[in-house]
Amino acid sequence: MSKSPTNRINLISDIEVRNTIDKAELSLIKCYDILKYFKSPNETDLKALIFDFQPKLAECLYSLMVFYQKLHQEEKNLISNKHSFVDTDFRQHMKTNAAYKRAISEVIKMGKALGDAFAWFFFCDNREELEKHIQHKSTGLFTNGIGGLGEVEFIKNHQVINGLLVIYHGITNMLKIGDFSLYAYNKGIVGNGELKTKKENDTLVINASILTKIPPINLSQSKGITSQEIEREFPRLKKQLQQQTALLKTQKNPNTLNGLSDYEYSIVNKLCGEQILVFNEDYTLALVAIRNQGCSLSDRMLCNQDTTVDFNTEIKEIFNRLLDSQSENNCMITGYLDTVPSNVRIPIFWWDIDDDLCKSLYFNAIVILTVFNPARLLSLFEKDGYTVNNGTIPAETHLTKVEDKTKLELHNMEMIYNLISQNLMKTSDAFEFIRNFLELRKTGEIPLNSQVEMYISLHNFGTPPTNNNKK
């Protein structure tokens, strides 16, 4: 029981949080439906849909962020008025507030995962730049206040600049340098920009600083302003533009190796019905489906789902199938298929899987656990003359091979494991690709006494896995 809090704090109700999430769900579903046309275009005006996607998603995320800030303010008010509550009530209110904030932040990330799928369509051939974006520090959930409002208004009114498509970074998790990129057909990403917003009377004044690899771009302005004036108004701008200049100067690595690979997406489709356990072809990977029971997104985000399923039978089958009795390197590595962006992943949206199942993954209606045993993969390397070191400890596992008085070592095996467990690449194809890379030492392309950093980029999105897609 509280002492006298009601006249000081109007606590946000469960109904208000649910209504906010349910409203966002409707917008996000519309965004997902727009994305589907990218994979299967028909007579629908794709151009019009492209221009619908970014403003709709941006407005949804901004509204969620406004509500998140409201919850954050409630948290501060609770702490300031802690003396007005008995301890048990205060702790309960703080716990409830934290649960609401967590739910809203997850919905924002969910929406930005759709933005990642959209941006990937345009960034897929600019992987070096994308790598720098992904490695950059997080920019937070979404820009709030005047800055966020200015960005939303900008993407609503400037989706094409001088014939270049604007890719707004705020609707993604993975694009973190600058506020937007510029895409040119058949040229890829050719520029980026920074937005600065201020309010003059009742008007938003938005300044865009743009850097490109092509001739200068001019934006129509209602008020002329010099770059020096902008920098005085926004002192961080100079450093931000320096980061973007470095991004545009990114050089493509001339030392590349292309290969062909198959992906076992078909096993995911087996989880469309009531089946909860499937295996890949050579039994190195198991997928386990857990279905959330909530009808709406708010139910799934706010209710403590009873997902305690009896998996005893499945666990026994997983161990029976995945264990390699001939290997000393058996190790069960668990994870789950998620939408977290990575330069070594293709967004799940672009996998050749059932659309309803894909949608369920993005909207948290289903969770797919992964169990991977690297033993059979490592045995392929052993048959090729490699020695496996610390095979049962994934973070420490590495391979060595002595040949022609030279010693070859391969570390960071977890990156190779992810090709199978997180991308569903066939085990034999993952082995062959890495083996072919290591064989470059025989041609002199990998010189003696050198250390090589390997970056793997997959390019198989939008095409069936049976076509031996390029990676």
Side-chain angles (χ1 to χ4, degrees), residues 127-128 131-132 135 253 255-257 343-344 412 415-416 419 433-434 437 452-459 471:
R127 302 304 285 275
E128 288 81 4
E131 180 76 22
K132 288 190 175 182
Q135 291 179 348
N253 191 338
N255 302 311
T256 61
L257 173 68
N343 207 23
V344 194
N412 194 14
M415 178 175 64
I416 315 303
L419 293 177
F433 176 71
I434 301 304
F437 171 78
V452 179
E453 292 187 15
M454 179 170 57
Y455 294 93
I456 299 176
S457 298
L458 308 182
H459 291 274
K471 66 179 184 300

Side-chain angles (χ1 to χ4, degrees), residues 220-238:
S220 60
Q221 301 181 98
S222 59
K223 178 183 178 181
I225 185 171
T226 66
S227 59
Q228 290 79 10
E229 289 174 312
I230 297 177
E231 288 183 15
R232 283 199 298 269
E233 192 80 30
F234 305 100
R236 293 180 58 230
L237 178 62
K238 186 174 182 179

Side-chain angles (χ1 to χ4, degrees), residues 2-40:
S2 58
K3 299 175 182 177
S4 58
T6 54
N7 61 345
R8 298 191 179 201
I9 302 177
N10 292 319
L11 295 176
I12 297 170
S13 68
D14 185 77
I15 293 177
E16 190 176 356
V17 178
R18 287 178 177 275
N19 287 342
T20 299
I21 294 176
D22 290 340
K23 182 180 178 181
E25 181 181 19
L26 293 176
S27 294
L28 296 179
I29 287 174
K30 290 179 181 177
C31 290
Y32 184 90
D33 289 341
I34 291 173
L35 276 178
K36 287 196 300 183
Y37 287 103
F38 282 73
K39 289 198 293 188
S40 303

Side-chain angles (χ1 to χ4, degrees), residues 2-177:
S2 58
K3 299 175 182 177
S4 58
T6 54
N7 61 345
R8 298 191 179 201
I9 302 177
N10 292 319
L11 295 176
I12 297 170
S13 68
D14 185 77
I15 293 177
E16 190 176 356
V17 178
R18 287 178 177 275
N19 287 342
T20 299
I21 294 176
D22 290 340
K23 182 180 178 181
E25 181 181 19
L26 293 176
S27 294
L28 296 179
I29 287 174
K30 290 179 181 177
C31 290
Y32 184 90
D33 289 341
I34 291 173
L35 276 178
K36 287 196 300 183
Y37 287 103
F38 282 73
K39 289 198 293 188
S40 303
N42 51 28
E43 295 180 359
T44 303
D45 187 353
L46 184 59
K47 180 179 178 182
L49 289 173
I50 289 176
F51 293 150
D52 280 346
F53 181 84
Q54 294 192 89
K56 186 177 293 294
L57 183 53
E59 288 185 315
C60 175
L61 297 179
Y62 180 75
S63 295
L64 286 168
M65 193 63 195
V66 168
F67 192 76
Y68 183 89
Q69 289 300 318
K70 186 177 177 181
L71 287 166
H72 182 65
Q73 186 59 49
E74 179 186 85
E75 178 190 26
K76 293 172 66 175
N77 290 341
L78 281 168
I79 294 172
S80 298
N81 291 276
K82 181 178 180 180
H83 63 280
S84 300
F85 298 88
V86 295
D87 288 345
T88 52
D89 284 348
F90 175 76
R91 287 196 296 271
Q92 183 58 50
H93 290 323
M94 290 291 288
K95 182 179 178 181
T96 300
N97 177 274
Y100 290 161
K101 285 176 63 180
R102 183 167 55 251
I104 297 298
S105 68
E106 287 303 311
V107 177
I108 291 175
K109 293 174 185 176
M110 191 177 295
K112 293 174 80 170
L114 298 179
D116 288 331
F118 174 85
W120 189 276
F121 186 85
F122 303 98
F123 263 85
C124 62
D125 291 325
N126 291 81
R127 302 304 285 275
E128 288 81 4
E129 292 92 333
L130 184 59
E131 180 76 22
K132 288 190 175 182
H133 275 288
I134 291 175
Q135 291 179 348
H136 197 269
K137 66 180 181 180
S138 173
T139 54
L141 285 175
F142 195 84
T143 305
N144 59 0
I146 295 298
L149 185 59
E151 292 181 10
V152 172
E153 289 301 315
F154 178 83
I155 196 59
K156 286 168 62 177
N157 295 283
H158 294 285
Q159 292 199 65
V160 175
I161 299 175
N162 282 22
L164 305 176
L165 180 67
V166 175
I167 310 297
Y168 173 42
H169 296 178
I171 59 170
T172 77
N173 292 300
M174 66 185 186
L175 302 180
K176 305 172 186 176
I177 303 176

